[in-house]
Amino acid sequence: MSEAVTTASESSQGNLGGREQWSSRLVFILAATGSAVGLGNIWKFPYITGENGGGAFVLVYLLCIAAIGIPIMMAEIMLGRRGRQDPVSTMKKLAQESGHSRSWGLLGWMGVIAGFLILSYYSVIAGWAMAYVPRMASGVFTGMDSAAVNNVFAELVSNPEVLITWHSLFLFMTMAVVARGVRGGLEKAVTYLMPMLFVLLLILIFYAIGTGHFEQGLQYLFTPDFSKITTEGILSAMGHAFFTLSLGMGAIMVYGSYLPPGTSIAKASIAVACMDTLVAIMAGMIIFPIVFANALEPSAGPGLIFKTLPLAFSHMDYGRFFGTLFFLLLVFAAWTSSISLIEPAITWAMKTFQITRIKAAVISGGLVWFAGLLTVFSFNLTSELTITSTISTQYGEFVILKDATAFDFLDYLTSNIMLPLGGLLIAVYAGWLMKKEYSREELNVNRFWYTIWSLLVRFVAPIMVVIVFLNAMGVVAFIRTMYGSFGF
Ligand code: TRP
């Protein structure tokens, strides 16, 4: 049994059938928020918003959080709590319970792989944040202009040895916690550090207001210009909704498996989603004013926050102090997320190969480390090695990937395909295949809210995911053109 993610294990509530559990709903909410709030909110959200032109993208993203994210999060927690095992065994067990095929275990398996792949690049990016801590602390950025800040970033990512060092360190930190159990240090850390991160974000918002470009930033974020949104943008917005809420791969399922019965899954899900969204929006409100004030490109890509934030700090009183603290907290946010990325793989490996938690952590850590080299090199040695994938039909050409490095490819494959697919299957399972009496019992909400949830999870979420998928594959455009040629 996993000693990690447990409460003081023989807690007053005991443990259900040997499965340990969180001591309270609050602890669960904290852990789930710790998983949700991470690089996705502060690093990824601003840069993909910038790549996709701003407001319209944000609107689609918010819609996806509300209509797809929250209902699927409820479904995933519910499946986890009912199954009380690793994602693969949980899906097998539940499928059997409701008289369906054990192949549903494949869903858990896809999640294990997705988490593994995401962690491989997540750790490299968290390594960037770590690398910025000593740089900030020693005052490297003090008085720099934006070209000089860009240079520091370019220099960092062009050096594979340095990236590998930080990647190794971050992965070691992650695996050390996973091997020993989350409860001792990390949960406490989350309790204090998340609120601190929040306060720092607020301070930075005041800085952003002072740039004189705050309004322009807000306008960029909140005024939708639909001419700027593309099909790929919509797919990214949906993929990001899954990514930022840690959905679709069993992480939240495993966390749910430690949840005591009787806790309101609905309230917990809404709380986590709201906090997560708030942090992302705050990050956007900080980054874009700085971008505009310094005539930077919103579409600068993965380096965006590493090029903008040091500028803010370098012009701020006590900027060195706040800057150091900020990147430290970002590392912590990434840390509480990364453990949830590998937790499904760990529980699965422990059960399947009958190995100890420590052994599982060492082996999977080693594998993730190697996989991470792909991302490390895509910013230097192999940055020219890219793929472009298009589907061309007589109705036009549909670009799936354009000049994608290994990192871009991994990110696309996991966020835009595996997570939504996993989420779709979770929704279909929870909404259509699981016996209603079970889901009603688990969710334990009144009839009205159950009906709403049921509609979302049975129809809205799956249909939206499928439409976005088809659209991205050009199918919708294809059909539209077909109709067009018949004169509709
Ligand atoms: N949600 C985290 C973030 O925004 C990343 C993450 C943690 C994740 N666990 C996950 C993403 C599981 C997908 C699935 O940074």
Side-chain angles (χ1 to χ4, degrees), residues 35-41 118 122 240 242-249 251 276 337-338 340-341 419:
S35 164
V37 175
L39 296 174
N41 307 62
I118 294 175
Y122 204 82
H240 188 63
F242 282 99
F243 185 92
T244 193
L245 294 178
S246 305
L247 295 180
M249 52 123 335
D276 185 80
S337 299
S338 63
S340 76
L341 280 165
L419 299 180

Side-chain angles (χ1 to χ4, degrees), residues 14 21 29 46 76 92 103-104 136 138 142 257 329 346 363 382 414 431 456:
Q21 51 182 300
I29 293 183
E76 196 171 331
K92 281 189 192 157
S103 337
W104 277 95
M136 286 281 12
S138 62
T142 312
S257 76
L329 291 173
I346 300 283
I363 296 172
T382 63
T414 51
L456 288 172

Side-chain angles (χ1 to χ4, degrees), residues 61-343:
Y61 157 80
L62 291 175
L63 191 74
C64 289
I65 294 277
I68 308 182
I70 294 175
I72 291 186
M73 181 180 272
M74 288 171 62
E76 196 171 331
I77 297 174
M78 174 182 92
L79 296 183
R81 184 166 74 183
R82 196 159 183 93
R84 292 209 178 276
Q85 294 180 38
D86 65 280
V88 182
S89 318
T90 286
M91 287 315 299
K92 281 189 192 157
K93 176 176 153 185
L94 293 182
Q96 246 170 355
E97 179 188 73
S98 294
H100 299 287
S101 156
R102 282 168 61 89
S103 337
W104 277 95
L106 289 175
L107 168 59
W109 221 74
M110 181 173 78
V112 167
I113 297 175
F116 176 92
L117 293 177
I118 294 175
L119 184 58
S120 82
Y121 71 77
Y122 204 82
S123 165
V124 176
I125 311 292
W128 297 358
M130 284 177 101
Y132 267 50
V133 173
R135 283 171 179 70
M136 286 281 12
S138 62
V140 166
F141 297 107
T142 312
M144 273 190 173
D145 62 5
S146 81
V149 172
N150 281 358
N151 248 344
V152 174
F153 178 73
E155 216 161 274
L156 171 71
V157 298
S158 67
N159 189 330
E161 287 89 9
V162 175
L163 294 188
I164 290 175
T165 308
W166 291 112
H167 162 57
S168 311
L169 190 61
F170 183 80
L171 204 55
F172 178 80
M173 281 163 46
T174 300
M175 291 306 169
V177 172
V178 170
R180 292 181 42 236
V182 179
R183 200 145 160 90
L186 221 95
E187 248 178 46
K188 289 210 183 67
V190 184
T191 324
Y192 295 104
L193 296 171
M194 286 298 163
M196 261 170 82
L197 182 69
F198 202 78
V199 171
L200 257 180
L201 288 173
L202 274 179
I203 295 179
L204 280 170
I205 286 187
F206 280 105
Y207 172 81
I209 292 174
T211 57
H213 287 72
F214 194 63
E215 238 174 85
Q216 199 183 348
L218 286 191
Q219 216 163 40
Y220 185 76
L221 271 179
F222 297 117
T223 314
D225 172 358
F226 286 101
S227 68
K228 286 211 186 116
I229 191 92
T230 58
T231 338
E232 295 90 64
I234 296 177
L235 179 63
S236 291
M238 183 180 77
H240 188 63
F242 282 99
F243 185 92
T244 193
L245 294 178
S246 305
L247 295 180
M249 52 123 335
I252 290 296
M253 200 185 278
V254 172
Y255 276 26
S257 76
Y258 306 113
L259 191 65
T263 316
S264 165
I265 292 179
K267 283 186 195 145
S269 303
I270 291 172
V272 172
C274 287
M275 284 191 273
D276 185 80
T277 307
L278 191 63
V279 173
I281 295 291
M282 284 168 82
M285 285 168 45
I286 294 164
I287 307 288
F288 291 109
I290 302 176
V291 167
F292 297 123
N294 294 282
L296 295 163
E297 272 304 313
S299 59
L304 187 64
I305 68 160
F306 296 95
K307 296 173 181 172
T308 49
L309 290 178
L311 268 180
F313 293 120
S314 74
H315 293 97
M316 212 165 130
D317 293 340
Y318 306 107
R320 222 167 113 181
F321 171 76
F322 285 130
T324 311
L325 197 60
F326 178 85
F327 282 102
L328 255 181
L329 291 173
L330 183 58
V331 172
F332 269 101
W335 198 5
T336 55
S337 299
S338 63
I339 53 170
S340 76
L341 280 165
I342 201 67
E343 185 68 15

